Amino acid sequence: MLGRVPSRALPALAAVLFQSKERKKAAGGRRSLTWKWETHPYYNLSVKILRARNIKTTDLLSKADCYVALRLPTASPLTSRTKVIYNCSDPEWNETFHYRIHGALKNVVELTLCDEDVVLNDNLSSIVFDVGRIKPGRCLKRVFPLNPETNEELEVEFKVEECSDPPTEVITNGVLVAHRSLCLEGTIDRGDQPRQREEGEKQFKLSVAGAYEKETCIPYRPDPDQDRQTPFVFHADRELCPQLEVQLQQTLTILQEGLGPGGEQQTTVLGMGCLPISSLPLSKKVDLTVPLGKEQSVDLKLKTEESHQDLDVRLGFDLSNGEKEYLDKRKQIASQALKEALNLKEVPCKDEVPIVAIVGSGGGTRAMTSLSGNLSGLQLLNLLDCVTYVSGVSGSTWCMTSLYKDPDWSHKDLQVPINSIRNSVTLSKSGAFSPDRIKYYFRELASLEKDGRKVSFTDLWGLILEYFFYQKENPSKLSDQQESVRWAQNPYPIYGGVNVRINVSGSDFAEWCEFTPHEVGFRKYGAFVRTEDFGSEFFMGHLIRRRQEPRICYLEGMWGSAFAASLDEIWAEVAGTGFAWIDSLKDVIKVVDDSRKLHLRDPLQFKTRLVMPGGILSQIFQDIFKSRFTAGESYNFTRGLYLHRDYVDITEFVAWNGHHLDAFPNQLTPMEENLYLVDGGFSINSPFPLVLQPERDVDVILSFNYSWEAPFEVLELTTRYCKERGIPFPKIILTNEDQKKPKECYMFVDAENPKAPIVLHFPLVNDTFQKHKSPGVELQTEEEKSFRNFVIAGRDSPYRTRNFTYEPYHFDRLVEVSRYNVLNNKETILNALNLALTRRKLKQKNIN
């Protein structure tokens, strides 16, 4: 992609390449650990749309009316298009489009052949082409097959040349790239305009294509009671050469019979003008007159500021400072705890202390109840201080938030918070829908909307959960839990959710988002914001508008947002499979590279792909069956950032699969306005991906699974997840008997790969608990046998996922069996800790 560069850029570029190479070597494959400055040149790209051949259309009355739409969002926020060639199967355009592209970015152009004749869906097919494959100074002519069966083709000519603009610096972590942004502030000076009678209302409409703010409308005449200078602001990417567009509009009300007293409103553009923002001097107020045509103009007072160098979004894959400080302190506590637990002669040094993580699966109130019992068992074994992380999704997060209200919970008798959970679970939930409570919901949601938050059904669900768990308003926030880890007195909490698309299955695309007391972010992108700033508005890595940190009840609603399921996912849960026939209507993606030249291809550049839309019928069914009508929206803190040209080299991306969304950078999360964060169960119903990050270097994972139908599914999905990304994970070998009747605990170890964590998996079963009062002590009384002889799973079970209220008797049973299953496998847990300690010592010995 770099090709020949100006000599003045070579020293900086050489330094960047050297840094990247060294960091990749040090990171063991990950190309960049933290953000850095990189200097890259610009290039001039020309795309000449030549012609198409043999184009067929669904219109039976005429031939196609074709045009080509071009989209290159890394160079222009606008979609360009050729003229329309009417009634022609072999249209010829010979139109050239020019772009200035930056060498640091993954520049992928989308060429879409459209038929203007087709009313409902005019996209015939699209070509996705990686511009990085073109060497500077070279002209490349390509004939793209659009439909091999009918010999449909699109002929395009590409040319990349060096640009005279000097190279610029960008901030990057090897996945995301941040340009410097411009902030345009201004006012319209409307002066002392005489009040005169005229038809309709006039207003100025201001917009900047690609800016964070979409548009601003200002009345043509000021309110006499207000300042005549109305301010406006736009944040835009300077590298896209943004322009301020001003329109003078007039809106008339047309009274027609049958339209009611209001009539129909028609807006007419009376004049329009543009102003290049990048041409304005920085940090200096200027007065300008922008002509709008037809002897009209508008007076503007403007000032532009360039963003400061420090980003408010942390770009990097390293742990947050708060988590690193915690780990340093926690290792000392865990070292002493290991000495006592394993009866060691001396305390292991900090670098030899294995990192132990607990992961709790989803399962509603069943998971919330069971995890409290599991943790109680570990406390009774004096092993809680050996644990570094506790992570959960869905119902497990509800247990965690309940525990972390107390900054010293793991050093107190857990029966106290368990009793508190018991009171919540066993109380009637009918009060959640009382008139007073419903008024409270509306008042709270209205307050969120007034503050600028995006309000959804998920927020209402969070308020309902708040009543279920506390029966009153809970003012606590996630950042409050910093007190719970300030002295490393408790395991570090990691709450898991996934970012999905509203019309894509979670099994096809889901990005794990972690919530900790210090930061919220995507380790996939290496992008994090302070927990206090989650929910605020960001653009190009900078905080644009601060919002209040959401109360934790809203996060609980998000983490446990089972209602965000699509009809397809609901049917899959009920019937065991989704609507497979819908998948047959999806877009078809094919690689159309010349196979004879593939051996010359740069592995960091994408193969050219053809996307054949499924058609309007497909889109209708996708919208009905795949959409998440209740998915909650959050402001996207990665918005305005771009994908680095070599992001495919990062293990977190499945970009090697050309059909995966990761291979379409123009559609990935940084290009989206909003995040759709939902229950982690829509991906893997346990937060393995969050503790398997190499930066956390976890040695032992205690997996507590609360699923009924598939007690080992989370292991199977995690295995596939790790295989796709090259993450070490032990082989999961199970027998048919294990699948039919799971045991209390399974230990999985990869003896050949010490980098793979040791996994202890605890299915939720009632096995030896039915015959033993405690490990090794058999039951004696009939009352004890009656209490312990029960079935957890089943259609009539009180522990159904949708059941939020248990009888006290049922709650106690579930806590006791969960506690017992940990106590009964003490030796297995200690063996895992011993093995992890041995591995750590060998690792340190090899390092030294």
Side-chain angles (χ1 to χ4, degrees), residues 106 108 127-130 133 142 144 589-594 598 601-610 655-656 658 663-664:
K106 192 66 170 176
V108 174
I127 291 294
V128 181
F129 182 75
D130 190 343
R133 305 181 63 181
R142 291 293 304 269
F144 298 112
I589 302 173
K590 296 182 178 180
V591 175
V592 292
D593 269 324
D594 187 339
L598 287 184
R601 187 176 62 85
D602 185 340
L604 297 181
Q605 308 304 335
F606 286 128
K607 301 175 183 177
T608 303
R609 281 150 296 156
L610 165 68
W656 51 266
F664 292 83

PDB file of all heavy atoms in Angstrom, residues 106 108 127-130 133 142 144 589-594 598 601-610 655-656 658 663-664:
ATOM      1  N   LYS A 106      -7.619   1.208   6.080  1.00  0.00           N
ATOM      2  CA  LYS A 106      -8.074   0.104   5.241  1.00  0.00           C
ATOM      3  C   LYS A 106      -9.097   0.670   4.270  1.00  0.00           C
ATOM      4  O   LYS A 106     -10.273   0.829   4.600  1.00  0.00           O
ATOM      5  CB  LYS A 106      -8.701  -0.999   6.106  1.00  0.00           C
ATOM      6  CG  LYS A 106      -8.934  -2.299   5.353  1.00  0.00           C
ATOM      7  CD  LYS A 106      -7.621  -2.929   4.945  1.00  0.00           C
ATOM      8  CE  LYS A 106      -7.786  -4.332   4.418  1.00  0.00           C
ATOM      9  NZ  LYS A 106      -6.511  -4.885   3.935  1.00  0.00           N
ATOM     10  N   VAL A 108     -11.406   0.391   1.379  1.00  0.00           N
ATOM     11  CA  VAL A 108     -12.152  -0.613   0.627  1.00  0.00           C
ATOM     12  C   VAL A 108     -13.299   0.088  -0.083  1.00  0.00           C
ATOM     13  O   VAL A 108     -14.157   0.706   0.546  1.00  0.00           O
ATOM     14  CB  VAL A 108     -12.701  -1.718   1.556  1.00  0.00           C
ATOM     15  CG1 VAL A 108     -13.601  -2.670   0.785  1.00  0.00           C
ATOM     16  CG2 VAL A 108     -11.549  -2.488   2.197  1.00  0.00           C
ATOM     17  N   ILE A 127     -19.581  -5.065  -5.711  1.00  0.00           N
ATOM     18  CA  ILE A 127     -18.192  -5.523  -5.692  1.00  0.00           C
ATOM     19  C   ILE A 127     -17.499  -4.830  -4.526  1.00  0.00           C
ATOM     20  O   ILE A 127     -17.601  -3.612  -4.353  1.00  0.00           O
ATOM     21  CB  ILE A 127     -17.464  -5.183  -7.009  1.00  0.00           C
ATOM     22  CG1 ILE A 127     -18.024  -6.018  -8.159  1.00  0.00           C
ATOM     23  CG2 ILE A 127     -15.968  -5.404  -6.874  1.00  0.00           C
ATOM     24  CD1 ILE A 127     -17.756  -7.504  -8.042  1.00  0.00           C
ATOM     25  N   VAL A 128     -16.802  -5.618  -3.700  1.00  0.00           N
ATOM     26  CA  VAL A 128     -16.044  -5.082  -2.566  1.00  0.00           C
ATOM     27  C   VAL A 128     -14.567  -5.258  -2.891  1.00  0.00           C
ATOM     28  O   VAL A 128     -14.067  -6.386  -2.960  1.00  0.00           O
ATOM     29  CB  VAL A 128     -16.417  -5.813  -1.264  1.00  0.00           C
ATOM     30  CG1 VAL A 128     -15.641  -5.227  -0.092  1.00  0.00           C
ATOM     31  CG2 VAL A 128     -17.917  -5.713  -1.000  1.00  0.00           C
ATOM     32  N   PHE A 129     -13.878  -4.141  -3.099  1.00  0.00           N
ATOM     33  CA  PHE A 129     -12.505  -4.187  -3.618  1.00  0.00           C
ATOM     34  C   PHE A 129     -11.559  -3.444  -2.686  1.00  0.00           C
ATOM     35  O   PHE A 129     -11.790  -2.288  -2.328  1.00  0.00           O
ATOM     36  CB  PHE A 129     -12.447  -3.573  -5.016  1.00  0.00           C
ATOM     37  CG  PHE A 129     -11.083  -3.615  -5.654  1.00  0.00           C
ATOM     38  CD1 PHE A 129     -10.576  -4.798  -6.166  1.00  0.00           C
ATOM     39  CD2 PHE A 129     -10.297  -2.473  -5.718  1.00  0.00           C
ATOM     40  CE1 PHE A 129      -9.313  -4.831  -6.755  1.00  0.00           C
ATOM     41  CE2 PHE A 129      -9.047  -2.498  -6.302  1.00  0.00           C
ATOM     42  CZ  PHE A 129      -8.548  -3.693  -6.816  1.00  0.00           C
ATOM     43  N   ASP A 130     -10.481  -4.121  -2.301  1.00  0.00           N
ATOM     44  CA  ASP A 130      -9.466  -3.548  -1.418  1.00  0.00           C
ATOM     45  C   ASP A 130      -8.495  -2.715  -2.253  1.00  0.00           C
ATOM     46  O   ASP A 130      -7.716  -3.242  -3.046  1.00  0.00           O
ATOM     47  CB  ASP A 130      -8.725  -4.679  -0.696  1.00  0.00           C
ATOM     48  CG  ASP A 130      -7.819  -4.173   0.409  1.00  0.00           C
ATOM     49  OD1 ASP A 130      -7.502  -2.969   0.421  1.00  0.00           O
ATOM     50  OD2 ASP A 130      -7.418  -4.991   1.264  1.00  0.00           O
ATOM     51  N   ARG A 133      -4.533  -3.116  -2.761  1.00  0.00           N
ATOM     52  CA  ARG A 133      -3.904  -4.059  -3.683  1.00  0.00           C
ATOM     53  C   ARG A 133      -3.294  -3.357  -4.886  1.00  0.00           C
ATOM     54  O   ARG A 133      -2.609  -3.982  -5.687  1.00  0.00           O
ATOM     55  CB  ARG A 133      -4.948  -5.081  -4.146  1.00  0.00           C
ATOM     56  CG  ARG A 133      -5.642  -5.797  -3.002  1.00  0.00           C
ATOM     57  CD  ARG A 133      -6.627  -6.806  -3.489  1.00  0.00           C
ATOM     58  NE  ARG A 133      -5.970  -7.871  -4.241  1.00  0.00           N
ATOM     59  CZ  ARG A 133      -6.628  -8.888  -4.799  1.00  0.00           C
ATOM     60  NH1 ARG A 133      -7.923  -8.967  -4.684  1.00  0.00           N
ATOM     61  NH2 ARG A 133      -5.974  -9.818  -5.462  1.00  0.00           N
ATOM     62  N   ARG A 142      -9.894  -3.913 -14.238  1.00  0.00           N
ATOM     63  CA  ARG A 142     -10.482  -5.182 -13.792  1.00  0.00           C
ATOM     64  C   ARG A 142     -11.851  -5.377 -14.421  1.00  0.00           C
ATOM     65  O   ARG A 142     -12.645  -4.417 -14.537  1.00  0.00           O
ATOM     66  CB  ARG A 142     -10.631  -5.198 -12.276  1.00  0.00           C
ATOM     67  CG  ARG A 142      -9.330  -5.263 -11.497  1.00  0.00           C
ATOM     68  CD  ARG A 142      -8.619  -6.597 -11.698  1.00  0.00           C
ATOM     69  NE  ARG A 142      -9.455  -7.709 -11.340  1.00  0.00           N
ATOM     70  CZ  ARG A 142      -9.495  -8.259 -10.114  1.00  0.00           C
ATOM     71  NH1 ARG A 142      -8.711  -7.791  -9.152  1.00  0.00           N
ATOM     72  NH2 ARG A 142     -10.280  -9.276  -9.856  1.00  0.00           N
ATOM     73  N   PHE A 144     -15.017  -7.394 -13.461  1.00  0.00           N
ATOM     74  CA  PHE A 144     -15.594  -8.130 -12.340  1.00  0.00           C
ATOM     75  C   PHE A 144     -16.810  -8.925 -12.817  1.00  0.00           C
ATOM     76  O   PHE A 144     -17.752  -8.352 -13.380  1.00  0.00           O
ATOM     77  CB  PHE A 144     -16.036  -7.182 -11.231  1.00  0.00           C
ATOM     78  CG  PHE A 144     -14.916  -6.385 -10.633  1.00  0.00           C
ATOM     79  CD1 PHE A 144     -14.840  -5.009 -10.818  1.00  0.00           C
ATOM     80  CD2 PHE A 144     -13.939  -6.996  -9.868  1.00  0.00           C
ATOM     81  CE1 PHE A 144     -13.826  -4.258 -10.257  1.00  0.00           C
ATOM     82  CE2 PHE A 144     -12.908  -6.264  -9.303  1.00  0.00           C
ATOM     83  CZ  PHE A 144     -12.848  -4.892  -9.502  1.00  0.00           C
ATOM     84  N   ILE A 589     -22.326 -14.221  -1.068  1.00  0.00           N
ATOM     85  CA  ILE A 589     -21.001 -13.608  -1.151  1.00  0.00           C
ATOM     86  C   ILE A 589     -20.046 -14.596  -1.814  1.00  0.00           C
ATOM     87  O   ILE A 589     -19.923 -15.741  -1.370  1.00  0.00           O
ATOM     88  CB  ILE A 589     -20.481 -13.216   0.244  1.00  0.00           C
ATOM     89  CG1 ILE A 589     -21.454 -12.254   0.927  1.00  0.00           C
ATOM     90  CG2 ILE A 589     -19.095 -12.598   0.155  1.00  0.00           C
ATOM     91  CD1 ILE A 589     -21.101 -11.944   2.359  1.00  0.00           C
ATOM     92  N   LYS A 590     -19.381 -14.148  -2.869  1.00  0.00           N
ATOM     93  CA  LYS A 590     -18.447 -15.005  -3.600  1.00  0.00           C
ATOM     94  C   LYS A 590     -17.117 -14.289  -3.795  1.00  0.00           C
ATOM     95  O   LYS A 590     -17.077 -13.078  -3.992  1.00  0.00           O
ATOM     96  CB  LYS A 590     -19.021 -15.387  -4.980  1.00  0.00           C
ATOM     97  CG  LYS A 590     -20.281 -16.229  -4.936  1.00  0.00           C
ATOM     98  CD  LYS A 590     -20.736 -16.587  -6.344  1.00  0.00           C
ATOM     99  CE  LYS A 590     -21.972 -17.477  -6.306  1.00  0.00           C
ATOM    100  NZ  LYS A 590     -22.443 -17.832  -7.691  1.00  0.00           N
ATOM    101  N   VAL A 591     -16.028 -15.034  -3.730  1.00  0.00           N
ATOM    102  CA  VAL A 591     -14.704 -14.500  -4.053  1.00  0.00           C
ATOM    103  C   VAL A 591     -14.548 -14.527  -5.567  1.00  0.00           C
ATOM    104  O   VAL A 591     -14.781 -15.563  -6.200  1.00  0.00           O
ATOM    105  CB  VAL A 591     -13.588 -15.317  -3.381  1.00  0.00           C
ATOM    106  CG1 VAL A 591     -12.220 -14.826  -3.828  1.00  0.00           C
ATOM    107  CG2 VAL A 591     -13.711 -15.226  -1.873  1.00  0.00           C
ATOM    108  N   VAL A 592     -14.175 -13.370  -6.137  1.00  0.00           N
ATOM    109  CA  VAL A 592     -14.071 -13.296  -7.594  1.00  0.00           C
ATOM    110  C   VAL A 592     -12.651 -12.955  -8.044  1.00  0.00           C
ATOM    111  O   VAL A 592     -12.439 -12.436  -9.124  1.00  0.00           O
ATOM    112  CB  VAL A 592     -15.071 -12.252  -8.159  1.00  0.00           C
ATOM    113  CG1 VAL A 592     -16.492 -12.727  -7.967  1.00  0.00           C
ATOM    114  CG2 VAL A 592     -14.854 -10.886  -7.516  1.00  0.00           C
ATOM    115  N   ASP A 593     -11.647 -13.235  -7.194  1.00  0.00           N
ATOM    116  CA  ASP A 593     -10.259 -13.036  -7.584  1.00  0.00           C
ATOM    117  C   ASP A 593      -9.850 -14.064  -8.631  1.00  0.00           C
ATOM    118  O   ASP A 593     -10.368 -15.192  -8.647  1.00  0.00           O
ATOM    119  CB  ASP A 593      -9.334 -13.173  -6.371  1.00  0.00           C
ATOM    120  CG  ASP A 593      -9.110 -11.836  -5.692  1.00  0.00           C
ATOM    121  OD1 ASP A 593      -9.035 -10.825  -6.391  1.00  0.00           O
ATOM    122  OD2 ASP A 593      -9.032 -11.813  -4.457  1.00  0.00           O
ATOM    123  N   ASP A 594      -8.923 -13.691  -9.457  1.00  0.00           N
ATOM    124  CA  ASP A 594      -8.332 -14.627 -10.424  1.00  0.00           C
ATOM    125  C   ASP A 594      -7.441 -15.592  -9.655  1.00  0.00           C
ATOM    126  O   ASP A 594      -6.422 -15.203  -9.079  1.00  0.00           O
ATOM    127  CB  ASP A 594      -7.514 -13.853 -11.456  1.00  0.00           C
ATOM    128  CG  ASP A 594      -7.027 -14.762 -12.588  1.00  0.00           C
ATOM    129  OD1 ASP A 594      -6.973 -15.993 -12.376  1.00  0.00           O
ATOM    130  OD2 ASP A 594      -6.714 -14.240 -13.661  1.00  0.00           O
ATOM    131  N   LEU A 598      -3.522 -15.488  -7.077  1.00  0.00           N
ATOM    132  CA  LEU A 598      -3.692 -15.421  -5.631  1.00  0.00           C
ATOM    133  C   LEU A 598      -2.381 -15.617  -4.897  1.00  0.00           C
ATOM    134  O   LEU A 598      -2.206 -15.105  -3.788  1.00  0.00           O
ATOM    135  CB  LEU A 598      -4.704 -16.475  -5.181  1.00  0.00           C
ATOM    136  CG  LEU A 598      -6.166 -16.181  -5.534  1.00  0.00           C
ATOM    137  CD1 LEU A 598      -7.068 -17.241  -4.944  1.00  0.00           C
ATOM    138  CD2 LEU A 598      -6.592 -14.799  -5.058  1.00  0.00           C
ATOM    139  N   ARG A 601      -0.728 -12.444  -3.824  1.00  0.00           N
ATOM    140  CA  ARG A 601      -1.530 -11.528  -3.030  1.00  0.00           C
ATOM    141  C   ARG A 601      -0.907 -11.294  -1.653  1.00  0.00           C
ATOM    142  O   ARG A 601      -0.423 -12.204  -1.005  1.00  0.00           O
ATOM    143  CB  ARG A 601      -2.943 -12.088  -2.867  1.00  0.00           C
ATOM    144  CG  ARG A 601      -3.926 -11.144  -2.197  1.00  0.00           C
ATOM    145  CD  ARG A 601      -5.312 -11.770  -2.178  1.00  0.00           C
ATOM    146  NE  ARG A 601      -5.318 -13.002  -1.414  1.00  0.00           N
ATOM    147  CZ  ARG A 601      -5.461 -13.054  -0.100  1.00  0.00           C
ATOM    148  NH1 ARG A 601      -5.586 -11.942   0.593  1.00  0.00           N
ATOM    149  NH2 ARG A 601      -5.469 -14.216   0.520  1.00  0.00           N
ATOM    150  N   ASP A 602      -0.932 -10.043  -1.215  1.00  0.00           N
ATOM    151  CA  ASP A 602      -0.501  -9.677   0.133  1.00  0.00           C
ATOM    152  C   ASP A 602      -1.508 -10.261   1.120  1.00  0.00           C
ATOM    153  O   ASP A 602      -2.715 -10.014   1.007  1.00  0.00           O
ATOM    154  CB  ASP A 602      -0.466  -8.147   0.247  1.00  0.00           C
ATOM    155  CG  ASP A 602       0.083  -7.679   1.588  1.00  0.00           C
ATOM    156  OD1 ASP A 602       0.082  -8.480   2.539  1.00  0.00           O
ATOM    157  OD2 ASP A 602       0.485  -6.512   1.679  1.00  0.00           O
ATOM    158  N   PRO A 603      -1.066 -11.064   2.113  1.00  0.00           N
ATOM    159  CA  PRO A 603      -2.014 -11.679   3.053  1.00  0.00           C
ATOM    160  C   PRO A 603      -2.784 -10.667   3.887  1.00  0.00           C
ATOM    161  O   PRO A 603      -3.790 -11.016   4.495  1.00  0.00           O
ATOM    162  CB  PRO A 603      -1.107 -12.561   3.932  1.00  0.00           C
ATOM    163  CG  PRO A 603       0.254 -11.979   3.793  1.00  0.00           C
ATOM    164  CD  PRO A 603       0.323 -11.449   2.388  1.00  0.00           C
ATOM    165  N   LEU A 604      -2.313  -9.404   3.940  1.00  0.00           N
ATOM    166  CA  LEU A 604      -3.021  -8.388   4.694  1.00  0.00           C
ATOM    167  C   LEU A 604      -4.063  -7.656   3.854  1.00  0.00           C
ATOM    168  O   LEU A 604      -4.744  -6.771   4.358  1.00  0.00           O
ATOM    169  CB  LEU A 604      -2.022  -7.369   5.280  1.00  0.00           C
ATOM    170  CG  LEU A 604      -1.026  -7.940   6.290  1.00  0.00           C
ATOM    171  CD1 LEU A 604      -0.120  -6.831   6.812  1.00  0.00           C
ATOM    172  CD2 LEU A 604      -1.736  -8.629   7.443  1.00  0.00           C
ATOM    173  N   GLN A 605      -4.179  -8.018   2.571  1.00  0.00           N
ATOM    174  CA  GLN A 605      -5.177  -7.394   1.704  1.00  0.00           C
ATOM    175  C   GLN A 605      -6.288  -8.400   1.429  1.00  0.00           C
ATOM    176  O   GLN A 605      -6.056  -9.605   1.314  1.00  0.00           O
ATOM    177  CB  GLN A 605      -4.546  -6.927   0.388  1.00  0.00           C
ATOM    178  CG  GLN A 605      -3.304  -6.060   0.539  1.00  0.00           C
ATOM    179  CD  GLN A 605      -3.543  -4.825   1.381  1.00  0.00           C
ATOM    180  OE1 GLN A 605      -4.653  -4.345   1.490  1.00  0.00           O
ATOM    181  NE2 GLN A 605      -2.476  -4.297   1.989  1.00  0.00           N
ATOM    182  N   PHE A 606      -7.501  -7.882   1.309  1.00  0.00           N
ATOM    183  CA  PHE A 606      -8.655  -8.746   1.106  1.00  0.00           C
ATOM    184  C   PHE A 606      -8.768  -9.225  -0.335  1.00  0.00           C
ATOM    185  O   PHE A 606      -8.393  -8.509  -1.276  1.00  0.00           O
ATOM    186  CB  PHE A 606      -9.949  -7.997   1.455  1.00  0.00           C
ATOM    187  CG  PHE A 606     -10.157  -7.815   2.927  1.00  0.00           C
ATOM    188  CD1 PHE A 606     -10.430  -6.559   3.433  1.00  0.00           C
ATOM    189  CD2 PHE A 606     -10.083  -8.885   3.791  1.00  0.00           C
ATOM    190  CE1 PHE A 606     -10.638  -6.381   4.785  1.00  0.00           C
ATOM    191  CE2 PHE A 606     -10.283  -8.721   5.142  1.00  0.00           C
ATOM    192  CZ  PHE A 606     -10.555  -7.461   5.646  1.00  0.00           C
ATOM    193  N   LYS A 607      -9.305 -10.400  -0.492  1.00  0.00           N
ATOM    194  CA  LYS A 607      -9.713 -10.850  -1.806  1.00  0.00           C
ATOM    195  C   LYS A 607     -10.942 -10.049  -2.238  1.00  0.00           C
ATOM    196  O   LYS A 607     -11.735  -9.613  -1.410  1.00  0.00           O
ATOM    197  CB  LYS A 607     -10.072 -12.349  -1.780  1.00  0.00           C
ATOM    198  CG  LYS A 607      -8.937 -13.259  -1.334  1.00  0.00           C
ATOM    199  CD  LYS A 607      -9.421 -14.691  -1.231  1.00  0.00           C
ATOM    200  CE  LYS A 607      -8.319 -15.617  -0.722  1.00  0.00           C
ATOM    201  NZ  LYS A 607      -8.791 -17.008  -0.558  1.00  0.00           N
ATOM    202  N   THR A 608     -11.070  -9.868  -3.547  1.00  0.00           N
ATOM    203  CA  THR A 608     -12.237  -9.159  -4.065  1.00  0.00           C
ATOM    204  C   THR A 608     -13.457 -10.062  -3.939  1.00  0.00           C
ATOM    205  O   THR A 608     -13.399 -11.248  -4.272  1.00  0.00           O
ATOM    206  CB  THR A 608     -12.018  -8.767  -5.531  1.00  0.00           C
ATOM    207  OG1 THR A 608     -10.829  -7.977  -5.610  1.00  0.00           O
ATOM    208  CG2 THR A 608     -13.193  -7.969  -6.057  1.00  0.00           C
ATOM    209  N   ARG A 609     -14.554  -9.469  -3.454  1.00  0.00           N
ATOM    210  CA  ARG A 609     -15.764 -10.267  -3.249  1.00  0.00           C
ATOM    211  C   ARG A 609     -16.951  -9.671  -3.991  1.00  0.00           C
ATOM    212  O   ARG A 609     -17.074  -8.445  -4.132  1.00  0.00           O
ATOM    213  CB  ARG A 609     -16.096 -10.350  -1.756  1.00  0.00           C
ATOM    214  CG  ARG A 609     -15.241 -11.359  -1.001  1.00  0.00           C
ATOM    215  CD  ARG A 609     -15.046 -10.959   0.429  1.00  0.00           C
ATOM    216  NE  ARG A 609     -14.291  -9.708   0.525  1.00  0.00           N
ATOM    217  CZ  ARG A 609     -14.359  -8.890   1.554  1.00  0.00           C
ATOM    218  NH1 ARG A 609     -15.136  -9.175   2.562  1.00  0.00           N
ATOM    219  NH2 ARG A 609     -13.639  -7.794   1.579  1.00  0.00           N
ATOM    220  N   LEU A 610     -17.803 -10.556  -4.445  1.00  0.00           N
ATOM    221  CA  LEU A 610     -19.051 -10.184  -5.102  1.00  0.00           C
ATOM    222  C   LEU A 610     -20.189 -10.437  -4.125  1.00  0.00           C
ATOM    223  O   LEU A 610     -20.293 -11.527  -3.550  1.00  0.00           O
ATOM    224  CB  LEU A 610     -19.259 -11.017  -6.376  1.00  0.00           C
ATOM    225  CG  LEU A 610     -20.660 -11.009  -6.993  1.00  0.00           C
ATOM    226  CD1 LEU A 610     -20.988  -9.637  -7.545  1.00  0.00           C
ATOM    227  CD2 LEU A 610     -20.764 -12.071  -8.088  1.00  0.00           C
ATOM    228  N   ALA A 655     -11.469 -12.029  10.026  1.00  0.00           N
ATOM    229  CA  ALA A 655     -11.467 -11.454   8.679  1.00  0.00           C
ATOM    230  C   ALA A 655     -10.984 -12.449   7.632  1.00  0.00           C
ATOM    231  O   ALA A 655     -11.248 -12.248   6.441  1.00  0.00           O
ATOM    232  CB  ALA A 655     -10.606 -10.198   8.657  1.00  0.00           C
ATOM    233  N   TRP A 656     -10.275 -13.512   8.041  1.00  0.00           N
ATOM    234  CA  TRP A 656      -9.830 -14.523   7.070  1.00  0.00           C
ATOM    235  C   TRP A 656     -11.030 -15.220   6.420  1.00  0.00           C
ATOM    236  O   TRP A 656     -10.933 -15.763   5.321  1.00  0.00           O
ATOM    237  CB  TRP A 656      -8.954 -15.571   7.761  1.00  0.00           C
ATOM    238  CG  TRP A 656      -9.572 -16.158   8.989  1.00  0.00           C
ATOM    239  CD1 TRP A 656      -9.394 -15.757  10.277  1.00  0.00           C
ATOM    240  CD2 TRP A 656     -10.494 -17.269   9.051  1.00  0.00           C
ATOM    241  NE1 TRP A 656     -10.141 -16.529  11.144  1.00  0.00           N
ATOM    242  CE2 TRP A 656     -10.834 -17.463  10.408  1.00  0.00           C
ATOM    243  CE3 TRP A 656     -11.071 -18.095   8.087  1.00  0.00           C
ATOM    244  CZ2 TRP A 656     -11.721 -18.448  10.826  1.00  0.00           C
ATOM    245  CZ3 TRP A 656     -11.953 -19.080   8.501  1.00  0.00           C
ATOM    246  CH2 TRP A 656     -12.266 -19.251   9.865  1.00  0.00           C
ATOM    247  N   GLY A 658     -13.969 -14.633   4.457  1.00  0.00           N
ATOM    248  CA  GLY A 658     -14.481 -13.540   3.640  1.00  0.00           C
ATOM    249  C   GLY A 658     -15.964 -13.314   3.735  1.00  0.00           C
ATOM    250  O   GLY A 658     -16.472 -12.282   3.288  1.00  0.00           O
ATOM    251  N   ALA A 663     -14.733  -9.040   7.705  1.00  0.00           N
ATOM    252  CA  ALA A 663     -14.037  -8.824   6.438  1.00  0.00           C
ATOM    253  C   ALA A 663     -14.634  -7.668   5.646  1.00  0.00           C
ATOM    254  O   ALA A 663     -14.223  -7.427   4.510  1.00  0.00           O
ATOM    255  CB  ALA A 663     -14.082 -10.106   5.593  1.00  0.00           C
ATOM    256  N   PHE A 664     -15.592  -6.945   6.246  1.00  0.00           N
ATOM    257  CA  PHE A 664     -16.216  -5.796   5.595  1.00  0.00           C
ATOM    258  C   PHE A 664     -16.003  -4.578   6.483  1.00  0.00           C
ATOM    259  O   PHE A 664     -16.885  -4.189   7.259  1.00  0.00           O
ATOM    260  CB  PHE A 664     -17.705  -6.052   5.372  1.00  0.00           C
ATOM    261  CG  PHE A 664     -17.994  -7.133   4.367  1.00  0.00           C
ATOM    262  CD1 PHE A 664     -17.970  -8.471   4.736  1.00  0.00           C
ATOM    263  CD2 PHE A 664     -18.272  -6.822   3.043  1.00  0.00           C
ATOM    264  CE1 PHE A 664     -18.227  -9.474   3.817  1.00  0.00           C
ATOM    265  CE2 PHE A 664     -18.530  -7.814   2.123  1.00  0.00           C
ATOM    266  CZ  PHE A 664     -18.506  -9.142   2.501  1.00  0.00           C
TER     267      PHE A 664
END
